[in-house]
Every structure is written in C-alpha cells, then in structure tokens.
C-alpha cells in the first residue's frame, strides 16, 4: 500500500515540540551508548567484528563512495561504522554483534541496484541506504520485492519510503521545503525571495515546489525562480542577475553543496549579497576543495546537526580521530539509522539466525514503537509511513563553523 507523506515536521515546526510516543514506546540514547570506540579501520569492512556467541547481524550500507557525491556516501559509511562499533562495544544487539559492509554506487541508480545485489550475495539482513534519492528509489523497489528492511539516512524523495518496509532518518523533500519557508517567514528574514534550483533533480525540484506553496502562507514574494540542470551547473550568471535585478533579499538554494559553492563565488564577484538559505544537501560546503569558506559566512541551512554542538561533541571527536575530518549531517543521519535499527531489533527481539524477510516482518512494527535521542533529534519517533517525527533545526555559518540557531 502506498504511503502518504508525513506532516510531522510541519506540525513540529508550528508547535516547536518533538513528537513523543505513548507508554509502549522504548527510548535509547544514541550518543551515550559507549564511552570509547576503537579507531575505524580503512576499507569497506571497517566495522566488521568477530562473531559473538549470539552470531552477527549483517547490515549493508550503500552510497557514493567515489565521484562528485562521495562526501555524502563516505559520511554515511563512517557514521554507520562508529555507531556499529559503539553498539558492539556495549554488547551488541540481543547478544549479536553488527557486521557492516559498504558498497559504492556513485549515486547512480543502476549501480546502486548492483551494489544491493552484491550485498545480498554477502548475506545482508538489513540495509542502511541508499544515500541519494534517485538511487534510493531504484533500490527501494528491490527491497520491497524481497521484503528486506531498509532505512535510508538521507534519501529524501517521497518515493524512497513509499513501501511498508522502508523508513528514513532525514526529513522528506516536501517537509524540507515547507519548513524552510516557515522558518524564513516566522523569523522575518526577508519578504522578497529568489529561488535557484536544479530542475533535473527530483530532490531539488521537490523541495522548491513545497517551498513555493508555503511561501504564499508566509507572505513571501517569490520574485525570481531560476532553474539549471545537471548539464549546466557551472555558470549561474543569468540566475544571479535575475535575482539581483528583482531585488531579492534572500536566495533559497534547494541544491547540493558543489553547485552552491559556485553560486556563492559568482554572487560575490557580482557584489550581490542577499541572505543565502539552503537545505541538507548544502551540508558539506565548508569542505569543498579550494573553496574560500569566507564566502559562506552567514549562509543558513535547514539541517538537524551541527558538529560543534554540545550534544555532538563525543561523536565529532571520535569521527575526527578516525577519519581526519569533521562529520556532516549525513554522518549523523547514518549514525542515528544504525541506532534506530538496534532499538527496533531490541524491541522486536530478533536474532541473527533469522532470515532477512523474517527480520523485516519483525522490525517494521517495532519501528513505530521506539524513541531514540539521536544526533539529529531528541525524542525521534517514526510513523507507519516511515517518516520521522522530530523538531526541525537551522544552522548559520559563522567564522567557518556551524552555529545552531
């Protein structure tokens, strides 16, 4: 049965409350699971552990580990590895350890399906992935057909979780667009808004559509809505000129960080200095090679994670020590995804000898009965549509760091 889009984010935004479960829900604190963790080894099998007396659960991870979107896929892999190491150090899941394997899909749907089949051959019982929406939609059709439990950290297109076996940690595209417009309107950040988006991207266009709908409710005037495509993402002069000429006070960028870094540079060259407001795809802009991070000063993102936040310090320290870089939201999403699996597995009482289909049948109802205090939201719950309920957050880039607002 096709799922409907959750309105949990919109409700949370309006009420500034985190949705909570009833008395039957169980809670686990992801960030406090273990005091220490071993440094992650290199390679796709970095989080594999010797089998305990309870055996091991094989969890697959799929994402772009190479190519333009590698910052996302590697972050997802590494966040999952840290969570698995912590859980294993704390005794595992129902006495069984977690064994991870990550496969590269280069953000390509066909390669993602190939990666999925490789993981099935390995013996995967649950999937964390995939990382990008287009690839996730392709793999979701396979997991639904196989009855494999799937939780995507960052696949935000509605179709990623349209099947009963699939859940997500991030907010959906519609929820991101609606919440962004509400945040801008309620905080009176601007009245005249321009949008620069990728019309060839399901992710970008989906966010734009709901942003425009909610903008009307917030009294925001869309003075320019300028598209580009995957084939024309190096020169944004026309889009920026139209936004500037229209008097845009804020430019909304429902796009990925690579294109955003170019837009910020070209806007600076044109002495165009509106507020720039993005969503989770822009997380990673501070790590773009040869990018002058001073150009991102004041940029705001609707994202639930800031590496420098007090409640993220332990995770950030472990991540930096293991991988030599600061974690982004995708790493935090993946970390929370593994902890969600662990909580649901404990609730369902599954064991490592069960088939992946049996595990899926047990985890699906358990997911709607758990609560986790994760890196991307306290008191996070899931509904039957596979959507998370948690409060939205925004960060501002100040002095080259994210500051939670």
């Amino acid at each position: 049965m096709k799922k409907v889009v959750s309105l949990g984010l919109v409700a949370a935004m309006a009420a500034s409350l985190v949705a909570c479960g009833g008395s039957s829900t169980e809670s686990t604190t992801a960030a406090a699971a273990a005091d220490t963790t071993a440094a992650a080894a290199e390679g796709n099998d970095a989080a594999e552990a010797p089998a305990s007396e309870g055996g091991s659960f094989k969890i697959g991870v799929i994402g772009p580990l190479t190519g333009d979107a590698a910052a996302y896929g590697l972050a997802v892999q590494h966040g999952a590895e840290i969570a698995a190491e912590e859980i294993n150090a704390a005794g595992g899941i129902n006495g069984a350890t977690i064994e991870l394997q990550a496969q590269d899909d280069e953000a390509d749907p066909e390669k993602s399906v190939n990666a999925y089949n490789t993981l099935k051959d390995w013996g995967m019982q649950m999937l964390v992935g995939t990382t990008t929406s287009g690839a996730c939609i392709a793999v979701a059709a396979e997991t639904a057909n196989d009855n494999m439990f799937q939780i995507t950290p960052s696949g935000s297109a509605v179709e990623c979780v349209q099947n009963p076996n699939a859940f997500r940690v991030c907010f959906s595209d519609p929820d991101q667009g609606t919440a962004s417009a509400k945040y801008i309107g309620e905080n009176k950040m601007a009245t005249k808004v321009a949008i620069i988006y990728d019309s060839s991207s399901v992710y970008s266009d989906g966010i734009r559509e709901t942003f425009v709908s909610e903008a009307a409710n917030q009294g925001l005037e869309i003075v320019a809505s300028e598209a580009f495509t995957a084939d024309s993402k190096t020169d944004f002069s026309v889009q920026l000129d139209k936004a500037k000429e229209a008097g845009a006070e804020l430019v909304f960028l429902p796009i990925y960080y690579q294109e955003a870094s170019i837009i910020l540079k070209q806007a600076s060259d044109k002495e165009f200095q509106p507020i720039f407001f993005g969503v989770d795809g822009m997380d990673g802009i501070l790590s773009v090679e040869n990018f002058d991070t001073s150009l991102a000063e004041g940029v705001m993102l609707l994202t639930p994670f800031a590496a420098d936040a007090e409640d993220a310090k332990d995770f950030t320290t472990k991540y930096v020590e293991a991988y030599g870089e600061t974690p982004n939201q995708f790493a935090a999403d993946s970390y929370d995804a593994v902890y969600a699996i662990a909580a649901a597995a404990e609730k369902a009482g599954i064991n490592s000898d069960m088939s992946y289909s049996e595990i899926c049948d047990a985890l699906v109802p358990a997911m709607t009965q758990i609560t986790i205090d994760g890196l991307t939201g306290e008191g996070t719950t899931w509904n039957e549509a596979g959507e998370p309920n948690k409060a939205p957050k925004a960060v501002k880039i100040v002095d080259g760091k994210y500051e939670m607002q």
Side-chain angles (χ1 to χ4, degrees):
M1 182 174 65
K2 185 176 181 178
K3 295 181 177 180
V4 296
V5 178
S6 168
L7 296 179
L9 171 58
V10 178
M13 187 65 144
S16 297
L17 295 173
V18 178
C20 298
S23 59
S24 64
T25 61
E26 294 184 350
S27 177
T28 180
T29 303
D35 293 328
T36 60
T37 184
E42 294 182 358
N44 288 350
D45 300 329
E48 291 187 7
S52 67
E53 293 182 0
S56 64
F57 288 108
K58 291 189 173 183
I59 299 178
V61 179
I62 300 176
L65 307 182
T66 60
D68 290 343
Y72 302 134
L74 289 170
V76 165
Q77 177 188 347
H78 296 159
E81 287 170 353
I82 290 178
E85 288 165 358
E86 290 180 352
I87 292 168
N88 287 343
I93 300 174
N94 299 330
T97 56
I98 295 174
E99 188 177 350
L100 286 182
Q101 184 180 132
Q103 288 291 324
D104 184 11
D105 67 4
E106 300 179 42
D108 177 88
E110 183 177 350
K111 291 179 180 178
S112 203
V113 171
N114 291 339
Y116 172 71
N117 289 327
T118 297
L119 289 170
K120 275 184 62 181
D121 291 342
W122 169 65
M124 174 175 61
Q125 294 165 294
M126 295 161 273
L127 173 63
V128 173
T130 65
T131 300
T132 56
S133 287
C136 190
I137 293 169
V139 169
E142 303 297 321
T143 64
N145 185 61
D146 292 336
N147 199 37
M148 172 82 71
F149 180 81
Q150 177 178 4
I151 182 166
T152 173
S154 48
S156 55
V158 173
E159 295 85 355
C160 290
V161 298
Q162 66 183 340
N163 300 312
N165 65 303
F167 293 78
R168 73 169 121 233
V169 175
C170 67
F171 292 129
S172 70
D173 294 343
D175 281 347
Q176 286 199 73
T178 299
S180 295
K182 288 178 71 70
Y183 190 96
I184 292 165
E186 291 176 358
N187 287 279
K188 303 186 185 306
M189 295 177 63
T191 56
K192 293 185 176 184
V193 177
I195 306 171
I196 300 177
Y197 70 102
D198 182 353
S199 60
S200 65
S201 164
V202 172
Y203 167 82
S204 184
D205 196 35
I207 296 175
R208 177 202 61 82
E209 185 175 355
T210 53
F211 179 89
V212 170
S213 296
E214 182 58 30
N217 299 329
Q218 296 297 323
L220 303 177
E221 180 185 359
I222 306 300
V223 296
S225 183
E226 300 301 317
F228 65 92
T229 68
D231 296 327
S232 60
K233 57 180 184 179
T234 58
D235 186 354
F236 299 94
S237 296
V238 172
Q239 293 91 336
L240 288 167
D241 285 343
K242 288 186 177 180
K244 185 176 182 179
E245 290 165 5
E249 302 158 331
L250 181 147
V251 176
F252 181 56
L253 301 175
I255 59 177
Y256 292 116
Y257 66 89
Q258 297 97 330
E259 293 83 9
S261 67
I262 299 171
I263 287 173
L264 293 179
K265 173 61 169 65
Q266 293 178 356
S268 176
D269 292 342
K270 293 176 178 293
E271 298 184 344
F272 181 37
Q273 298 177 322
I275 298 169
F276 287 99
F277 194 104
V279 287
D280 62 4
M282 276 178 60
D283 190 4
I285 193 166
L286 296 178
S287 63
V288 174
E289 188 175 357
N290 298 321
F291 175 64
D292 180 358
T293 57
S294 69
L295 297 175
E297 187 73 10
V299 169
M300 294 190 67
L301 312 178
L302 190 79
T303 178
F305 174 74
D308 296 318
E310 187 65 30
D311 60 358
K313 283 186 176 179
D314 288 346
F315 173 73
T316 298
T317 297
K318 292 174 183 177
Y319 197 97
V320 172
E321 289 177 351
Y323 307 109
E325 60 185 15
T326 302
N328 59 24
Q329 178 202 321
F330 292 80
D333 283 336
S334 183
Y335 179 90
D336 285 354
V338 175
Y339 269 100
I341 285 176
E346 294 280 356
K347 178 69 176 177
I350 64 172
N351 64 70
S352 61
D353 292 328
M354 296 169 67
S355 70
Y356 63 72
S357 183
E358 291 171 330
I359 288 173
C360 185
D361 287 341
L363 290 185
V364 167
M367 280 292 295
T368 64
Q369 301 174 53
I370 63 169
T371 303
I372 70 165
D373 291 327
L375 292 172
T376 65
E378 294 182 359
T380 301
T381 62
W382 281 265
N383 63 23
E384 292 182 355
E387 302 285 359
N389 296 304
K390 54 187 175 182
K393 301 175 183 178
V395 299
K396 185 176 184 179
I397 297 177
V398 179
D399 296 329
K401 295 182 179 180
Y402 290 156
E403 286 190 359
M404 194 65 72
Q405 300 300 291

